Amino acid sequence: MIKIHYFLDHPIQYQNPFLDKLSLSKEIDLKVIYLSDFSLKPYFDKGLNRTIKFDDIEKLGHKSYFLFKDKKKSKIKFLVNLTKILIKEKPKYFWVHGYSNFYSISSIIIAALLGIKVLLRGESNNFFKKNLNSKIKIYFFFKIIDPLITGYLSIGKKNKEFYLNNTKKKIYKLPYIVGDLSKKNIVRKEDLIKLKKKLGIKQNSFIIFYNAKIIDRKNPELLISSFLRIRNNFKNSVYLIIAGDGILKDKLMKKYSNFRYIKFVGFINQNLLSQFYTLSNLFILPSKYDAWGLVINEAMNFSNPIITSKNVISSYDLVKQNINGVAFNNRSHLEKSIIKIVNNKEIQKKYSRNSNLIIKNWSIEVANKCLHELIRK
């Protein structure tokens, strides 16, 4: 078996199902080195502006090390402990996620000095112009650290373009994926009826769903204000569900509390999310910028039609224009797209069917196959 050690900052609910799947491989001996275990317990999330704990995240189905408890870290201890692990274990590959901090860069240097092949995966892209600080970091990384890298793992089109512009090293496909909640949590019809009653939503209504942090970058107010502007254009009863927490939540709830067709439901944990995605007829993510946007993957696993801004990087891989949804340019384009989908059942069926087909190529099984093919090469 080929030994792979994967370095991550902390356990992530999106990554765990894939790592659990890899741990079952007869060809790969996977161990994950976590910098910290803080996400296994309730912790304060700045973006959500509240203390959270994700469902089932502590049930790790893969071998792992935790270098530190909570968020307390020592750089010297990190260097010593990581070196000890790599010398003792002698993996063939050292896989790193991200490269923008001391720990990631240090781990790459240590692994390379020990003769271990380094694979790097991240979310970087060329989509927006970088500030001077970012440009300097990228320049020095590819001048100094790039020679230590064996290959890069691209999560999608824009990520691959970034690597092609900065390195001559090999780039391998490893699609950005999430665990399929639609398979994990079976939703019954009676569950949906109860949920609609609880939310005060008419049973035959059309549901638009937003699930993200309620912060400026995610642009929730653009969606809310657009929904209110065009509501009279809908043929049937339509509701907008806003899931998530964040610094803007209280302000938006106060501003739009009088509109009974808008439902703020707060942060929804993984085990309940399946009900909301199943309830949804259209998923919308209007972000000003998202380095990927894994909620798009989640929604498509439930065959949701998608509307997202062109500033959400996953849209260049997952959203096929007028095939399974729309990547909009501006407010007018967003509003016209919502009206078109809400008022046309044939378009809804087409987009839903195609979302289901497209996301099959962005599954745990596909990512698992990609990594095995990479290792065999």
Side-chain angles (χ1 to χ4, degrees):
M1 293 180 77
I2 296 173
K3 279 189 177 183
I4 299 179
H5 279 32
Y6 183 20
F7 179 62
L8 273 172
D9 189 73
H10 59 88
I12 302 168
Q13 78 277 13
Y14 287 128
Q15 297 229 24
N16 283 351
F18 177 41
L19 300 179
D20 293 347
K21 176 74 175 179
L22 278 177
S23 70
L24 301 175
S25 172
K26 293 180 181 179
E27 297 178 52
I28 294 173
D29 179 11
L30 175 73
K31 288 183 182 176
V32 183
I33 302 173
Y34 290 110
L35 182 62
S36 169
D37 70 343
F38 80 87
S39 59
L40 298 183
K41 296 163 280 189
Y43 69 95
F44 185 81
D45 185 292
K46 289 182 180 179
L48 289 170
N49 197 35
R50 57 163 287 174
T51 298
I52 63 162
K53 182 181 183 298
F54 286 105
D55 291 338
D56 297 332
I57 194 169
E58 74 278 4
K59 296 176 183 178
L60 304 179
H62 52 271
K63 299 172 189 173
S64 58
Y65 296 98
F66 291 95
L67 298 179
F68 298 102
K69 300 291 183 182
D70 300 316
K71 291 189 176 182
K72 296 176 182 177
K73 306 180 187 95
S74 161
K75 290 181 179 179
I76 294 174
K77 281 187 179 180
F78 165 75
L79 296 173
V80 172
N81 291 342
L82 179 64
T83 303
K84 283 181 178 179
I85 290 171
L86 295 182
I87 289 174
K88 180 184 176 183
E89 295 284 343
K90 298 176 182 175
K92 183 172 182 180
Y93 293 98
F94 186 70
W95 172 12
V96 184
H97 188 88
Y99 63 88
S100 60
N101 60 49
F102 166 84
Y103 300 101
S104 296
I105 292 175
S106 298
S107 69
I108 291 170
I109 295 170
I110 291 169
L113 290 174
L114 293 173
I116 301 167
K117 295 180 179 180
V118 179
L119 301 173
L120 179 66
R121 191 187 196 203
E123 300 176 356
S124 300
N125 58 74
N126 295 317
F127 197 76
F128 280 112
K129 289 183 178 179
K130 313 290 183 186
N131 59 36
L132 182 59
N133 188 40
S134 295
K135 286 180 179 178
I136 292 171
K137 282 184 179 179
I138 292 169
Y139 174 80
F140 281 107
F141 179 86
F142 285 100
K143 277 289 182 184
I144 300 170
I145 306 299
D146 179 66
L148 306 178
I149 306 290
T150 302
Y152 293 87
L153 309 178
S154 76
I155 63 173
K157 289 178 181 176
K158 294 298 177 184
N159 184 230
K160 185 176 181 178
E161 288 174 8
F162 172 80
Y163 293 134
L164 288 172
N165 286 345
N166 290 289
T167 183
K168 292 181 180 179
K169 292 293 177 68
K170 286 186 177 181
I171 302 166
Y172 303 93
K173 178 184 176 183
L174 187 61
Y176 225 12
I177 54 155
V178 297
D180 190 347
L181 292 176
S182 69
K183 293 177 181 176
K184 181 182 177 183
N185 302 313
I186 304 301
V187 178
R188 301 172 301 171
K189 190 174 182 180
E190 50 264 41
D191 294 330
L192 300 181
I193 292 171
K194 287 180 183 177
L195 182 57
K196 282 184 177 178
K197 283 183 178 179
K198 182 180 178 181
L199 296 174
I201 292 175
K202 296 177 184 177
Q203 290 301 324
N204 294 321
S205 300
F206 188 97
I207 308 295
I208 298 172
F209 187 39
Y210 167 99
N211 177 38
K213 292 177 179 179
I214 303 180
I215 57 177
D216 182 66
R217 182 172 61 81
K218 299 288 185 178
N219 215 8
E221 191 163 17
L222 173 67
L223 173 57
I224 295 169
S225 60
S226 294
F227 173 76
L228 292 174
R229 278 162 53 104
I230 62 177
R231 199 167 61 82
N232 292 332
N233 292 279
F234 301 144
K235 295 177 182 178
N236 301 306
S237 176
V238 181
Y239 287 83
L240 171 61
I241 295 178
I242 303 290
D245 269 315
I247 197 166
L248 295 180
K249 182 187 170 188
D250 289 344
K251 174 189 170 185
L252 294 180
M253 284 185 69
K254 186 176 180 181
K255 187 174 181 179
Y256 297 105
S257 60
N258 294 327
F259 298 97
R260 62 189 178 93
Y261 288 97
I262 300 173
K263 306 292 181 180
F264 288 89
V265 296
F267 171 73
I268 306 298
N269 223 320
Q270 296 288 289
N271 288 337
L272 280 178
L273 260 180
S274 294
Q275 292 188 21
F276 283 87
Y277 280 124
T278 305
L279 195 71
S280 173
N281 303 107
L282 171 63
F283 184 82
I284 302 181
L285 183 65
S287 302
K288 294 178 180 178
Y289 174 68
D290 251 314
W292 184 261
L294 285 166
V295 287
I296 300 292
N297 298 61
E298 275 189 340
M300 287 175 64
N301 278 329
F302 289 84
S303 301
N304 273 207
I306 304 295
I307 295 179
T308 186
S309 79
K310 285 192 172 181
N311 298 332
V312 175
I313 302 305
S314 63
S315 69
Y316 294 87
D317 294 276
L318 301 180
V319 182
K320 311 299 180 185
Q321 207 76 342
N322 300 315
I323 300 296
N324 72 312
V326 176
F328 67 86
N329 298 304
N330 50 46
R331 178 191 285 272
S332 175
H333 192 192
L334 167 63
E335 292 174 358
K336 288 176 182 177
S337 300
I338 295 173
I339 294 168
K340 180 181 176 181
I341 295 172
V342 169
N343 289 338
N344 192 314
K345 288 189 176 181
E346 289 305 312
I347 288 177
Q348 292 167 28
K349 289 177 183 177
K350 172 188 170 184
Y351 287 7
S352 176
R353 182 173 63 251
N354 289 330
S355 271
N356 182 263
L357 291 172
I358 292 166
I359 204 62
K360 288 182 187 302
N361 292 318
W362 296 79
S363 66
I364 286 177
E365 289 72 26
V366 170
N368 186 46
K369 183 180 177 182
C370 287
L371 190 62
H372 277 78
E373 287 177 352
L374 183 163
I375 298 303
R376 288 174 195 140
K377 288 177 182 178

